[in-house]
């Protein structure tokens, strides 16, 4: 676990919204192959930190490095090109396309039709999608199904499959299980483990302590824009984490 070179490193990152300090000199690292949970109450700064990493926000202070490249002022598109994929709660999938169409969303594969027209190559996209789903051990009965007909867990799986297909080197998931039923939550957690087996590091934001304790190798707790705890799994339990989350750890 003590790998000296982080794949992602945020150094002293601060982000302000008007007079509000959303991030206050945050140091945060992710090492190769680890699942890092980001915890904290509503408004603690978790999503803001993630958005600074994914290029949605630009921090006012501090720097962010990905594999030693300074990405602090990169655009979201260039950060995705480097292999940092973020799956937000709304997933950003297309409801009326099938699974293949969603894996290739925005990067659609076309083929020649009658030697003239360029049309979507649905068969190619579906078969590529099938392969990546297979790698993740995900079973979706028919890949011709439109997303609108899939369950929450299956959609999450499609979003993860898309990230993996496009060679994600770091996957960030903001509250992936929030809107799911229990069996589907389990499936998403299994997917996170599967990503770790593929040596793809994951940052997972979750309110559900049980999720986090099950999948994360390390837990980082934020409170009011600061990192207040950084614990390996072996040193973390629900009680300790809750104390850090609510700010009562010092009186423990
Ligand atoms: N776009 C924004 N404009 C103004 N304030 C924001 C914006 N995004 C987040 N904030 C504020 O920054 C703080 C951290 O929010 P956020 O990162 O979303 O917390 P979390 O994800 O931990 O719930 C909160 O006080 C929130 O209201
Ligand atoms: Mg949030």
């Amino acid at each position: 676990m003590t790998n000296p070179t982080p794949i992602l490193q945020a150094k002293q990152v601060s982000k302000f919204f008007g007079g509000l300090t959303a991030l206050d000199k945050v140091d945060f690292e992710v090492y190769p192959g680890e699942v890092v949970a980001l915890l904290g109450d509503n408004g603690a700064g978790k999503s803001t930190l993630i958005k600074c990493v994914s290029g949605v926000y630009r921090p006012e202070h501090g720097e962010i490095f990905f594999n030693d490249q300074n990405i602090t002022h990169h655009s979201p598109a260039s950060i995705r090109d480097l292999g940092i994929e973020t799956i937000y709660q709304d997933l950003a999938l297309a409801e009326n396309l099938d699974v293949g169409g969603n894996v290739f969303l925005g990067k659609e594969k076309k083929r020649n039709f009658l030697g003239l027209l360029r049309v979507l190559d649905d068969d190619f996209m579906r078969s590529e999608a099938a392969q990546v789903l297979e790698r993740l051990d995900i079973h979706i009965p028919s890949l011709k199904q439109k997303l609108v007909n899939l369950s929450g867990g299956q959609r999450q799986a499609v979003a993860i499959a898309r990230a993996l297909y496009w060679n994600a080197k770091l996957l960030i998931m903001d509250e992936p299980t929030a809107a799911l039923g229990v069996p589907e939550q389990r499936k998403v957690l299994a997917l996170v483990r599967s990503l770790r087996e593929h040596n793809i590091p994951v940052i997972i934001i979750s309110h559900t302590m049980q999720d986090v304790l099950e999948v994360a190798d390390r837990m980082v707790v934020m409170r009011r824009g600061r990192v207040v705890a950084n614990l390996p799994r072996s040193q973390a339990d629900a009680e300790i984490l809750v104390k850090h989350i609510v700010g009562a750890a010092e009186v423990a």
Side-chain angles (χ1 to χ4, degrees):
M1 268 296 296
T2 35
N3 194 317
T5 317
I7 180 168
L8 179 80
Q9 185 165 35
K11 294 183 184 171
Q12 297 286 295
V13 168
S14 294
K15 176 73 198 162
F16 310 113
F17 294 111
L20 181 125
T21 304
L23 296 178
D24 188 6
K25 298 182 186 144
V26 167
D27 287 323
F28 178 77
E29 296 91 36
V30 177
Y31 292 89
E34 69 172 348
V35 177
V36 182
L38 197 50
L39 296 116
D41 217 342
N42 277 332
K46 306 178 297 294
S47 294
T48 303
L49 176 60
I50 283 333
K51 286 176 180 168
C52 286
V53 170
S54 62
V56 175
Y57 293 150
R58 291 188 179 194
E60 274 79 26
H61 293 297
E63 289 179 316
I64 302 171
F65 295 87
F66 183 60
N67 289 326
D68 291 331
Q69 184 172 358
N70 190 332
I71 59 164
T72 318
H73 299 292
H74 284 208
S75 69
S78 95
I79 286 173
R80 281 194 69 194
D81 285 344
L82 291 172
I84 301 180
E85 289 278 347
T86 307
I87 300 178
Y88 295 101
Q89 213 174 322
D90 65 13
L91 295 181
L93 297 171
E95 296 285 306
N96 57 344
L97 294 181
D98 70 9
V99 174
N102 271 281
V103 168
F104 284 81
L105 197 63
K107 305 178 182 186
E108 288 82 359
K109 167 84 176 161
K110 296 194 174 161
R111 63 180 167 86
N112 284 320
F113 182 66
L114 302 176
L116 280 172
L117 293 168
R118 299 285 290 165
V119 297
L120 288 178
D121 193 344
D122 289 322
D123 290 339
F124 173 83
M125 293 193 285
R126 225 173 271 136
S127 97
E128 291 288 297
Q131 284 174 39
V132 68
L133 289 168
E134 167 110 28
R135 263 168 78 196
L136 283 168
D137 198 25
I138 300 165
H139 305 282
I140 293 178
S142 165
L143 296 186
K144 292 192 180 185
Q145 292 263 359
K146 296 199 188 314
L147 259 278
V148 68
N149 297 319
L150 299 186
S151 70
Q154 288 171 326
R155 288 174 202 214
Q156 196 75 234
V158 171
I160 294 170
R162 177 173 61 178
L164 193 63
Y165 184 80
W166 295 104
N167 289 319
K169 296 190 175 68
L170 169 65
L171 193 71
I172 303 174
M173 305 171 85
D174 195 345
E175 303 273 0
T177 63
L180 303 179
V182 172
E184 300 250 279
Q185 291 176 8
R186 309 230 52 82
K187 187 73 205 179
V188 170
L189 296 181
L191 284 172
V192 171
R193 284 194 207 94
S194 167
L195 289 167
R196 178 171 44 203
E197 280 159 25
H198 287 84
N199 216 27
I200 297 168
V202 179
I203 302 171
I204 179 168
I205 297 180
S206 178
H207 271 104
T208 315
M209 195 67 65
Q210 211 50 46
D211 288 5
V212 163
L213 287 168
E214 261 182 57
V215 295
D217 301 302
R218 198 153 54 80
M219 334 261 162
V220 173
V221 183
M222 294 186 69
R223 190 162 173 272
R224 296 186 181 162
R226 294 188 180 165
V227 170
V228 294
N230 183 351
L231 304 167
R233 174 68 187 85
S234 58
Q235 289 173 24
D237 62 34
E239 195 183 348
I240 291 170
L241 292 172
V242 169
K243 280 182 175 153
H244 284 296
I245 290 167
V246 302
E250 59 275 15
V251 294

